[in-house]
Structure formats: structure tokens, C-alpha cells
Amino acid sequence: MVEQELIRAAQSGDRDALITLLREIEQHVYRTAYYILNNEQDAMDAAQEALIRIYSKINSYEEKAQFKTWVQRIVTNICIDKFRRNKPSVSIEEHEMVFSDSQDVEGEVLSQYMAKDVREAINQLPEHHRTVIVLRYLQDFSYNEIADSLDLPLNTVKSYLYRARQQLQGLLQEYQKGGVSG
């Protein structure tokens, strides 16, 4: 994600290095906040708060952990706090469907419906399950990175992911039957 020299320069008081560092991570920070909070304004607020916290706490970062994991922990904690206050939900990025003559229109429409079902199912998960699903499948974090980011034991992360996948499977089966309304 970020060069170690840039981090060290930022920690030593190089303001330009710190600004460059924040610019390099701002999209990642926003994307994570958006996936967890499912609201553009809340995500922008959380991302700004996270960047300010990173700015003010850069000297507390130790190279024992990956910088990406340290940043993720800050963003996730801020989002969890906001989530507890506002109770929003996670969303998977939506993309506009663009049809061309060579595309399978029926397949595209079914794909959009499935994405909507998955999004609605994720929204119904408990907060801790939703967070690990977002970090694992939308941010592509390893189990260890999730554990470090959320300050949880590795086995707890594995358990949360297992239970979240089971819940998603059940919810998606209900959606396919038409039995659950969001």
C-alpha cells in the first residue's frame, strides 16, 4: 500500500510526506468506510475522521504491524462507532448495467438481481459478521489481517466468517424463494 520510507519521513515530521501518505490511502479509507456504513455522507465523515486520526497518531504506528492493517483498524473502529450510533448497513458497490448486442441481457439482469439479494442479505447480518465479510470478501484481507485490524483472536475471526457465511446462505435461499423482504 505505502512505501516504508514515506511512513518514516512522515513520522519524522516531513509534512509533505505525511500529506502524500494521506493522499495515497484516502481512497482505500473511504472505500472501507462506505462498504461498512452503506451511506456516502457517513462514509465521507468516517474517512475524514480516520485520516485526521492517522495524521495525529502517525507517530504511534510501529513497523511491527503492516501499515495497511494499522490504517484498517482505525477506519473500522470509527465505522463501528458510527454504525452503533446510526445503525446503517453494508453495501456492495453497484455498477450501472450497460447492454450491448453481444451481451447476454437475461444473464445481466439475473446477475443484477443476485447482487441485490447478496447486498440485502449482507445488510441483515449482525454488525460483527458484516464487518468480517466486508474485510474478507470486499477488501480481500487475509484472516490474520482481519484479526489484526479488529483486534480479535484468529479463531474468533474464523468463527465469525463461518457463521456469517452460514447466515448468508440461509438468507439467500430465502431470497430465492421470495420469502424475505428487506
Side-chain angles (χ1 to χ4, degrees):
M1 174 192 261
V2 177
E3 303 264 343
Q4 287 297 333
E5 300 88 44
L6 189 59
I7 296 167
R8 286 188 201 109
Q11 287 178 317
S12 69
D14 183 339
R15 182 175 152 83
D16 292 335
L18 184 55
I19 290 170
T20 301
L21 180 65
L22 292 173
R23 284 193 177 132
E24 284 187 18
I25 64 172
E26 70 182 331
Q27 285 298 325
H28 170 74
V29 168
Y30 171 77
R31 189 172 44 251
T32 298
Y34 185 78
Y35 282 141
I36 293 174
L37 297 171
N38 189 34
N39 177 294
E40 186 175 343
Q41 190 62 46
D42 287 345
M44 288 190 322
D45 291 346
Q48 182 178 11
E49 186 176 337
L51 291 170
I52 290 169
R53 192 167 298 169
I54 292 163
Y55 176 87
S56 65
K57 304 242 182 220
I58 190 70
N59 288 326
S60 70
Y61 167 70
E62 298 175 4
E63 290 184 31
K64 291 184 244 175
Q66 288 185 23
F67 186 72
K68 170 177 120 171
T69 305
W70 183 76
V71 167
Q72 191 65 46
R73 179 180 288 175
I74 291 171
V75 175
T76 303
N77 287 340
I78 289 170
C79 290
I80 288 171
D81 290 345
K82 281 190 170 300
F83 180 80
R84 286 182 180 143
R85 287 191 300 262
N86 301 335
K87 296 290 183 192
S89 55
V90 169
S91 175
I92 298 173
E93 245 181 288
E94 293 185 51
H95 300 283
E96 287 186 34
M97 287 193 313
V98 179
F99 298 118
S100 70
D101 294 335
S102 64
Q103 288 182 320
D104 174 17
V105 175
E106 182 179 351
E108 289 287 330
V109 171
L110 288 175
S111 177
Q112 281 296 110
Y113 279 117
M114 288 189 326
K116 181 179 180 279
D117 288 349
V118 169
R119 210 174 26 258
E120 289 175 0
I122 290 172
N123 288 340
Q124 291 194 15
L125 292 176
E127 166 194 326
H128 55 285
H129 289 169
R130 182 179 312 128
T131 302
V132 295
I133 288 290
V134 166
L135 293 178
R136 178 71 182 127
Y137 297 108
L138 301 178
Q139 294 293 340
D140 201 29
F141 270 47
S142 70
Y143 288 8
N144 287 326
E145 289 173 328
I146 296 169
D148 288 345
S149 294
L150 299 177
D151 200 22
L152 293 172
L154 182 59
N155 285 336
T156 301
V157 169
K158 290 178 181 179
S159 174
Y160 283 178
L161 280 167
Y162 176 78
R163 289 184 188 132
R165 285 190 297 260
Q166 283 185 316
Q167 289 175 328
L168 282 174
Q169 185 177 14
L171 288 168
L172 290 171
Q173 286 174 351
E174 289 297 318
Y175 281 122
Q176 289 173 352
K177 292 178 192 173
V180 177
S181 60

